[in-house]
Amino acid sequence: MATAQISILLFMAVGVLSIYDSFRLPHALRPVHYELRILTHLNGPDQLRFEGQVQIDLRVLEQTSNITLHAKNLTIDQTQITLKSRTGNNCINRTEFDEEKEFFILQTCEWLQHDEQYELFIPFEGALNGNESGYYWSSFSDAQTNVTSYLAVTQFSPTFARFAFPCFDEPHLKATFNITLGYHKNYIGQSNTPISKCEEHAKLDNYVWCQHEPLFRTSTYLVAYAVHNLTSADIQSSDTDYNVTFASWMQPEVLEDSHFLANLAPRVLSYLEKLFKFSFPLRKVDQLAVPTHKFSAMENWGLVTYKQSKFTHNDNEELLESKQHKATTVGHEYAHQWFGNLVTMSWWNDLWLKEGPSTYFAYLTLDALMPDWSSAECYIADDLGMFFRQDATSTSIAISRDVDDAASTLKQFSEYVYKKGSLTLRMLHKLLGDDVFFAAIRSYVQRHAYSSVTQSDLWQAMQQAVDANSSIAQLGVAPVMDSWTKQAGYPLVSVMRDYATGSVSVNQMRFLLPGDVQAESANCWWIPLTFVVQREPNFAATQAQFWLDCRNSGNRNLTLLAKPSTREWIMLNPQVSTIYRVNYDAHNWRLIIETLNSTAHVGDIHVLNRAQLMDDIMALAWLNVQSYELAFSMLEYLPHEPHVVPWKRILDVLGKHGDLLRDEQTPLFRRFMQQLVAPLYKSCPALGATRTTSSTKMQEVSLCRLAYAQACRYGVENCISEALRLDRESVDANYRDIVYCASIERGDEQQFRLVRQAFQNATNEAVLESLATGLGCSRNFTLLQPFLDYLLRETDMTRNNCYMQVVASALQRKQVAQQTANHILQHAATLK
Ligand SMILES: *[C@@H]1O[C@H](CO)[C@@H](O)[C@H](O)[C@H]1NC(C)=O
Ligand SMILES: *[C@@H]1O[C@H](CO)[C@@H](O)[C@H](O)[C@H]1NC(C)=O
Ligand SMILES: *[C@@H]1O[C@H](CO)[C@@H](O)[C@H](O)[C@H]1NC(C)=O
Ligand SMILES: *[C@@H]1O[C@H](CO)[C@@H](O)[C@H](O)[C@H]1NC(C)=O
Ligand SMILES: *[C@@H]1O[C@H](CO)[C@@H](O)[C@H](O)[C@H]1NC(C)=O
Ligand SMILES: *[C@@H]1O[C@H](CO)[C@@H](O)[C@H](O)[C@H]1NC(C)=O
Ligand SMILES: *[C@@H]1O[C@H](CO)[C@@H](O)[C@H](O)[C@H]1NC(C)=O
Ligand SMILES: *[C@@H]1O[C@H](CO)[C@@H](O)[C@H](O)[C@H]1NC(C)=O
Ligand SMILES: *[C@@H]1O[C@H](CO)[C@@H](O)[C@H](O)[C@H]1NC(C)=O
Ligand SMILES: *[C@@H]1O[C@H](CO)[C@@H](O)[C@H](O)[C@H]1NC(C)=O
Ligand SMILES: *[C@@H]1O[C@H](CO)[C@@H](O)[C@H](O)[C@H]1NC(C)=O
Ligand SMILES: *[C@@H]1O[C@H](CO)[C@@H](O)[C@H](O)[C@H]1NC(C)=O
Ligand SMILES: [Zn+2]
């Protein structure tokens, strides 16, 4: 390793105004391989640090006289940096940090020659991060002995690898990695790959250096390592091509609650490997339940990390819905092994290329492995509800959009990008059908494995699969799909039937909420039109019958092959497979309402469409395009709606409307809601009986949760008196938070103290959160304030974090919203 020493002219790394105007690295160099050694110290709260060295093999694409890479908050002794080529030595003249761009710039003594390879060696050290980014520390304490154990683990996505070692921290700059970890023998060291060999540390007693097997070409954000003394659950094998073994690690206290997720992961990986027909390339996966985590989970190759509370589940204390949610997270992280890890977006602008598919395939995985949960339908319904509400303002942004700096990159990780990304991929799936869609997905993974892509690579794979299949109508995938990913918002398609001639005229315009102004340039989408007719209500056929494009200002006259009679409805967009709203002429609306209102035929209309029809007509009434009279006549069918999906959507939509009403309208609205919800409430078991009669069926549990919550919110019958009467322990875990909320909202000081005491006694994070949410339902700030103050003083971070739950719930209540907002402002400095 010995090479020429550098003569340092300017010793201090100065934070200069560098010449760069872009946050992207220059194109002159490409990292080929990293040889990384990290020595971790976990000797108590003041000694949480690491020392490291990295040797990066570089290929020169363009002659250059500097090496610009990423580093942040690392201490680097510049006298120890070396640079050599195969043919001779080179050296570093000068280094500087560009703080804003997070660049470390090394000026070389000699020019780096095109096509030549160089070895850059940088030693560095740093404190383990306390912010759950980069290489960070976490801790847990033993309930009996009260001894605190520290651990160190990485969170590199999206731009935090640079906090841990100097690197070319852009996703397309993949390289191979050899990782060697040093630590005290009492700990376990893990990385993406298994250990190949260990040796004693030459100087430090009881320390070892363990070398891990080489890791194939990987983006820096997926590299991972950890040093800990967590406990392992039983090793699991999996039905995968390389017999991948799974180990799950956590603090001993939560071992018992980890079985469900620890056992689910190998099944998920196996299912996805068969679906994508591409072998998972590693031999082992370690799952780490970390007490603190910046996100819910992270999909690092071979070392998947979870926030501990997302990895454990206790059926007696937590919601069934939350179990389902955690299972979805497992599906999501393992779908990433293909979408993100193998095939990576070149840059963060196309983040949706990994988050959309991982979200969508997680739903499909859950349906395959837990069929009685019907997860996909419920999640897609929720995602649609969120999407149609959120993407209806002129301030919304396209999912594929330019980002440059670290902060805007982090902001890309929004629910919106995940959900719209998923809905966009689902649109392709429904449009192309299983065969073509999966053929395309498989060839995309095959072709781009270990490499990086832009969204046009996905469109190209889809196009080839379309072209190769004669059963599917010709279509230009790229222009169609770009119109959905590169534009924000969504269209409203209006359908006017000419009942005399049987022709149908359709047009599109962007849907915006009242008062929102349309931007200068009119938006336009490529919209697949699929009609269903009443006589033959086939909601399974989702391929396009016509296209509505941007010609003729988005207008078209059509003749439907099915020739619907004037007495039967037509309906667009079966299963809401494309993300647009629809308006019809009044006669067609009435025909639809008639079918909904008929017990025998309501089931003819797909459940996702039933939810969407109500959502659409309420939105249209709000816009004054249809009358509220028509909208409310549609809601008359609800008493015989058996499914949670339409209920959930309409109650959500109505709740939002209710929030906007003037004070004098409130009692009327309240009465309307009581009438609407009462039959639903009555159809569920009495709250006090839920402990014994409780269903374990997802559908029923979700529907009753909705019924109790809304009934207590709008004061239906005995919901509140029941909640006040009940001992919380006598209520099933699925409904306990509703009881807390109702009893706190209406209850007196005594109720508040009881729940507060339960909060102080509780240890389970999910229980703490639901109690905190309940306490936030109080209408009396005199009670609330001491509790908020206590939370801020609390050093236990799980409790401290509950401040957010409390204020989130309190801000929704008129009586205390203002005082709560003031409390937040007064304490803004102490809040993270
Ligand atoms: C580093 O080299 C690249 C490529 O030759 C060049 O574009 C860039 O301006 C240089 N940066 C500095 C700080 O010298
Ligand atoms: C590096 O420094 C040497 C001497 O200080 C100088 O001659 C040379 O031009 C410098 N090289 C670069 C690339 O700046
Ligand atoms: C930077 O490192 C120092 C000590 O090395 C540490 O105290 C500080 O918290 C770190 N800051 C960030 C943002 O990680
Ligand atoms: C933690 O992150 C916040 C913002 O996310 C930042 O203001 C703070 O300086 C960071 N603290 C440390 C110790 O890194
Ligand atoms: C455990 O430690 C905390 C502070 O670290 C202290 O407040 C508490 O009393 C201790 N409990 C026991 C049982 O020693
Ligand atoms: C982890 O290490 C700490 C410090 O060495 C020790 O006190 C603790 O008992 C260990 N915990 C486990 C679960 O082994
Ligand atoms: C990585 O480590 C392996 C030994 O585990 C070694 O054979 C290989 O040469 C190393 N790769 C590089 C590029 O140094
Ligand atoms: C996986 O296990 C099966 C049965 O135990 C064995 O036949 C097969 O060779 C193994 N495959 C690999 C790649 O190790
Ligand atoms: C559709 O038909 C109407 C009347 O039949 C006509 O006025 C209109 O121009 C037609 N639109 C298009 C796009 O052909
Ligand atoms: C729906 O059906 C009920 C009877 O089942 C009837 O009273 C009501 O008027 C109908 N509503 C509409 C809008 O047709
Ligand atoms: C909390 O714990 C105390 C002491 O262990 C106990 O007396 C009290 O009943 C508990 N309160 C609740 C609400 O669980
Ligand atoms: C709020 O609680 C305090 C303390 O119990 C009580 O004195 C006060 O009357 C309550 N205020 C209202 C409006 O109920
Ligand atoms: Zn993800």
Side-chain angles (χ1 to χ4, degrees):
M1 247 15 251
T3 48
Q5 283 290 322
I6 331 156
S7 54
I8 298 295
L9 303 175
L10 215 78
F11 206 96
M12 290 290 293
V14 268
V16 293
L17 288 172
S18 86
I19 58 162
Y20 293 110
D21 53 10
S22 162
F23 282 85
R24 300 296 302 271
L25 293 173
H27 305 298
L29 300 170
R30 201 163 228 299
V32 177
H33 177 75
Y34 291 81
E35 204 67 39
L36 185 62
R37 289 170 74 85
I38 304 285
L39 181 66
T40 304
H41 299 278
L42 291 169
N43 310 322
D46 309 321
Q47 284 292 310
L48 300 169
R49 62 188 181 89
F50 60 94
E51 298 158 57
Q53 6 184 288
V54 64
Q55 180 191 305
I56 311 175
D57 296 348
L58 297 169
R59 221 181 65 223
V60 182
L61 305 179
E62 292 161 22
Q63 204 187 42
T64 183
S65 64
N66 73 79
I67 300 171
T68 299
L69 41 65
H70 288 103
K72 182 157 185 195
N73 211 30
L74 294 170
T75 306
I76 298 175
D77 177 357
Q78 287 132 72
T79 63
Q80 303 296 316
I81 301 175
T82 64
L83 176 67
K84 62 179 184 179
S85 72
R86 268 180 304 209
T87 54
N89 290 334
N90 198 332
C91 62
I92 304 298
N93 262 8
R94 194 158 54 85
T95 65
E96 59 196 65
F97 277 106
D98 180 331
E99 301 278 351
E100 186 202 19
K101 311 266 178 349
E102 306 180 348
F103 287 169
F104 184 39
I105 304 156
L106 304 98
Q107 298 292 349
T108 60
C109 301
E110 314 283 338
W111 284 81
L112 303 183
Q113 299 303 324
H114 180 246
D115 255 357
E116 185 62 80
Q117 289 239 20
Y118 290 86
E119 278 178 23
L120 172 67
F121 173 82
I122 309 176
F124 54 91
E125 57 182 57
L128 287 168
N129 184 293
N131 256 4
E132 293 147 27
S133 314
Y135 195 25
Y136 73 95
W137 67 269
S138 186
S139 68
F140 59 96
S141 48
D142 185 295
Q144 259 87 56
T145 64
N146 215 11
V147 171
T148 302
S149 305
Y150 292 92
L151 59 107
V153 59
T154 57
Q155 171 58 45
F156 287 171
S157 175
T159 59
F160 305 133
R162 62 192 69 165
F163 283 73
F165 65 100
C167 58
F168 293 80
D169 201 8
E170 293 192 358
H172 68 112
L173 293 174
K174 293 188 177 188
T176 54
F177 285 82
N178 276 352
I179 295 173
T180 304
L181 301 177
Y183 42 86
H184 192 281
K185 276 179 184 162
N186 284 354
Y187 292 89
I188 294 158
Q190 285 173 326
S191 184
N192 308 83
T193 56
I195 291 175
S196 53
K197 67 167 198 269
C198 293
E199 59 188 39
E200 300 280 329
H201 192 285
K203 297 205 190 89
L204 291 175
D205 279 350
N206 291 316
Y207 271 65
V208 287
W209 278 114
C210 292
Q211 189 180 342
H212 289 258
E213 289 175 11
L215 175 62
F216 42 63
R217 273 167 58 81
T218 299
S219 308
T220 45
Y221 83 91
L222 290 165
V223 170
Y225 41 87
V227 172
H228 62 78
N229 65 354
L230 298 168
T231 305
S232 166
D234 294 343
I235 306 275
Q236 310 266 331
S237 57
S238 65
D239 175 20
T240 45
D241 294 345
Y242 295 127
N243 298 334
V244 181
T245 55
F246 277 77
S248 300
W249 303 84
M250 67 217 75
Q251 56 165 305
E253 222 165 76
V254 301
L255 205 53
E256 212 176 297
D257 290 340
S258 71
H259 302 302
F260 172 68
L261 286 162
N263 296 347
L264 181 64
R267 296 173 60 214
V268 167
L269 192 76
S270 165
Y271 173 77
L272 289 168
E273 183 180 87
K274 287 168 181 56
L275 186 66
F276 300 140
K277 292 196 165 59
F278 190 101
S279 306
F280 178 73
L282 295 169
R283 305 297 190 274
K284 69 91 182 168
V285 174
D286 287 297
Q287 306 198 90
L288 222 59
V290 190
T292 54
H293 198 295
K294 195 173 186 68
F295 305 100
S296 297
M298 176 62 210
E299 70 266 19
N300 310 306
W301 279 118
L303 182 54
V304 178
T305 58
Y306 296 84
K307 184 183 281 186
Q308 180 182 291
S309 57
K310 306 288 177 196
F311 193 72
T312 57
H313 188 83
N314 182 333
D315 287 327
N316 297 321
E317 298 289 355
E318 298 179 53
L319 307 183
L320 186 57
E321 284 174 3
S322 114
K323 186 177 194 169
Q324 180 187 30
H325 196 260
K326 292 170 196 174
T328 317
T329 302
V330 175
H332 181 98
E333 301 314 323
Y334 287 101
H336 271 318
Q337 307 300 312
W338 288 265
F339 288 84
N341 298 17
L342 265 176
V343 180
T344 312
M345 67 281 143
S346 290
W347 183 243
W348 301 107
N349 63 329
D350 278 336
L351 176 67
W352 85 267
L353 271 183
K354 82 179 179 82
E355 298 305 343
S358 297
T359 301
Y360 184 57
F361 289 128
Y363 298 164
L364 301 190
T365 305
L366 235 58
D367 270 5
L369 301 184
M370 310 275 172
D372 33 313
W373 282 359
S374 306
S375 304
E377 199 164 79
C378 293
Y379 281 124
I380 285 160
D382 283 353
D383 295 354
L384 285 168
M386 189 209 79
F387 167 77
F388 282 111
R389 189 172 66 239
Q390 200 172 321
D391 212 7
T393 65
S394 51
T395 53
S396 49
I397 40 178
I399 51 170
S400 183
R401 66 184 188 111
D402 289 341
V403 293
D404 47 15
D405 62 310
S408 63
T409 298
L410 191 57
K411 269 198 220 127
Q412 277 280 80
F413 287 79
S414 65
E415 208 184 9
Y416 176 70
V417 165
Y418 284 47
K419 302 286 162 82
K420 188 173 178 183
S422 164
L423 292 172
T424 304
L425 196 74
R426 173 175 180 262
M427 167 178 166
L428 265 171
H429 186 181
K430 296 291 176 190
L431 193 57
L432 305 183
D434 273 349
D435 291 351
V436 175
F437 177 75
F438 282 110
I441 286 290
R442 286 164 194 149
S443 90
Y444 170 79
V445 169
Q446 185 77 44
R447 186 173 324 152
H448 301 288
Y450 305 106
S451 177
S452 53
V453 290
T454 62
Q455 72 170 15
S456 62
D457 292 306
L458 180 60
W459 304 158
Q460 197 176 37
M462 293 289 164
Q463 188 69 58
Q464 281 171 1
V466 167
D467 295 346
N469 191 306
S470 54
S471 73
I472 190 162
Q474 287 308 299
L475 93 113
V477 176
V480 169
M481 295 312 294
D482 281 349
S483 79
W484 297 91
T485 57
K486 293 189 175 173
Q487 281 186 106
Y490 58 84
L492 166 67
V493 175
S494 300
V495 178
M496 295 294 152
R497 297 173 64 180
D498 182 331
Y499 292 90
T501 64
S503 86
V504 177
S505 98
V506 289
N507 67 62
Q508 62 162 299
M509 60 185 273
R510 177 162 180 188
F511 181 90
L512 287 170
L513 289 179
D516 215 321
V517 273
Q518 178 96 29
E520 284 293 310
S521 60
N523 299 82
C524 173
W525 288 262
W526 282 75
I527 306 173
L529 299 178
T530 311
F531 290 90
V532 179
V533 296
Q534 180 170 356
R535 170 173 15 108
E536 211 183 317
N538 179 3
F539 284 79
T542 51
Q543 296 198 354
Q545 295 159 352
F546 305 93
W547 283 90
L548 186 57
D549 55 33
C550 303
R551 286 169 297 185
N552 294 316
S553 330
N555 287 290
R556 249 196 105 169
N557 290 338
L558 309 167
T559 308
L560 302 190
L561 280 176
K563 300 208 184 325
S565 84
T566 57
R567 283 191 315 258
E568 56 177 349
W569 48 255
I570 59 173
M571 202 181 296
L572 255 185
N573 206 11
Q575 298 184 47
V576 199
S577 53
T578 307
I579 40 183
Y580 60 87
R581 289 193 192 275
V582 192
N583 185 23
Y584 301 96
D585 56 74
H587 181 62
N588 198 64
W589 274 122
R590 279 196 208 95
L591 294 171
I592 291 172
I593 291 170
E594 218 170 89
T595 297
L596 282 172
N597 202 25
S598 112
T599 338
H601 289 288
V602 59
D604 289 357
I605 299 176
H606 193 274
V607 64
L608 289 173
N609 287 92
R610 302 208 293 273
Q612 194 62 40
L613 285 164
M614 289 189 286
D615 193 333
D616 285 351
I617 204 160
M618 290 298 292
L620 293 166
W622 197 7
L623 275 186
N624 267 326
V625 173
Q626 292 294 349
S627 68
Y628 270 108
E629 197 189 352
L630 186 72
F632 280 101
S633 75
M634 180 182 287
L635 307 193
E636 286 176 24
Y637 98 92
L638 278 166
H640 58 260
E641 173 57 66
H643 201 290
V644 64
V645 156
W647 271 113
K648 199 165 173 194
R649 181 81 68 87
I650 190 59
L651 289 171
D652 211 31
V653 167
L654 288 170
K656 293 275 177 318
H657 273 71
D659 291 343
L660 300 173
L661 295 178
R662 292 189 303 275
D663 281 349
E664 67 269 23
Q665 298 168 309
T666 306
L668 225 84
F669 177 72
R670 201 175 157 78
R671 209 161 325 127
F672 170 77
M673 292 303 283
Q674 284 172 0
Q675 276 168 17
L676 193 65
V677 176
L680 193 60
Y681 177 66
K682 266 185 243 155
S683 73
C684 292
L687 259 174
T690 50
R691 199 72 202 252
T692 45
T693 61
S694 180
S695 164
T696 51
K697 291 208 181 75
M698 186 69 71
Q699 284 273 327
E700 286 170 25
V701 170
S702 298
L703 192 61
C704 288
R705 258 185 75 72
L706 193 65
Y708 300 137
Q710 300 282 331
C712 280
R713 176 172 177 183
Y714 295 108
V716 171
E717 291 194 7
N718 62 348
C719 187
I720 292 163
S721 56
E722 275 282 286
L724 285 173
R725 184 181 67 79
L726 286 169
D727 165 12
R728 281 151 213 87
E729 291 309 307
S730 64
V731 180
D732 182 83
N734 281 301
Y735 315 114
R736 239 172 254 163
D737 58 334
I738 296 165
V739 172
Y740 294 141
C741 186
S743 70
I744 288 291
E745 187 163 12
R746 305 302 155 98
D748 53 12
E749 191 173 349
Q750 177 59 16
Q751 293 286 347
F752 193 90
R753 288 206 197 295
L754 263 175
V755 178
R756 184 172 163 175
Q757 211 174 64
F759 181 88
Q760 260 142 351
N761 287 2
T763 51
N764 181 304
E765 186 167 336
V767 175
L768 285 167
E769 284 179 4
S770 94
L771 289 166
T773 306
L775 288 164
C777 295
S778 172
R779 295 172 174 184
N780 187 338
F781 199 71
T782 315
L783 295 171
L784 208 49
Q785 180 168 6
F787 182 61
L788 289 174
D789 293 340
Y790 147 77
L791 288 176
L792 289 179
R793 283 195 311 271
E794 181 59 75
T795 49
D796 172 33
M797 286 322 283
T798 312
R799 285 166 207 277
N800 183 290
N801 289 340
C802 286
Y803 183 85
M804 291 302 168
Q805 257 84 28
V806 181
V807 299
S809 134
L811 285 171
Q812 290 171 20
R813 271 147 245 278
K814 278 186 201 159
Q815 295 86 347
V816 295
Q818 189 54 49
Q819 286 152 304
T820 305
N822 290 342
H823 196 270
I824 298 171
L825 289 175
Q826 280 157 20
H827 297 89
T830 48
L831 294 169
K832 266 214 292 191

PDB file of all heavy atoms in Angstrom, residues 66 210 458:
ATOM      1  N   ASN A  66      -8.596  16.102 -11.150  1.00  0.00           N
ATOM      2  CA  ASN A  66      -9.125  16.057  -9.787  1.00  0.00           C
ATOM      3  C   ASN A  66      -9.996  14.822  -9.607  1.00  0.00           C
ATOM      4  O   ASN A  66     -10.521  14.269 -10.573  1.00  0.00           O
ATOM      5  CB  ASN A  66      -9.926  17.326  -9.466  1.00  0.00           C
ATOM      6  CG  ASN A  66     -11.254  17.354 -10.184  1.00  0.00           C
ATOM      7  OD1 ASN A  66     -12.213  16.707  -9.780  1.00  0.00           O
ATOM      8  ND2 ASN A  66     -11.312  18.112 -11.289  1.00  0.00           N
ATOM      9  N   CYS A 210     -12.986  -9.203  10.697  1.00  0.00           N
ATOM     10  CA  CYS A 210     -13.626 -10.263   9.917  1.00  0.00           C
ATOM     11  C   CYS A 210     -13.915  -9.761   8.509  1.00  0.00           C
ATOM     12  O   CYS A 210     -14.531  -8.708   8.314  1.00  0.00           O
ATOM     13  CB  CYS A 210     -14.902 -10.744  10.588  1.00  0.00           C
ATOM     14  SG  CYS A 210     -14.578 -11.619  12.132  1.00  0.00           S
ATOM     15  N   LEU A 458     -38.069   0.842 -18.947  1.00  0.00           N
ATOM     16  CA  LEU A 458     -39.255   0.054 -18.589  1.00  0.00           C
ATOM     17  C   LEU A 458     -40.274   0.106 -19.727  1.00  0.00           C
ATOM     18  O   LEU A 458     -40.847  -0.908 -20.113  1.00  0.00           O
ATOM     19  CB  LEU A 458     -39.869   0.577 -17.283  1.00  0.00           C
ATOM     20  CG  LEU A 458     -41.118  -0.158 -16.798  1.00  0.00           C
ATOM     21  CD1 LEU A 458     -40.852  -1.637 -16.545  1.00  0.00           C
ATOM     22  CD2 LEU A 458     -41.677   0.478 -15.524  1.00  0.00           C
TER      23      LEU A 458
END
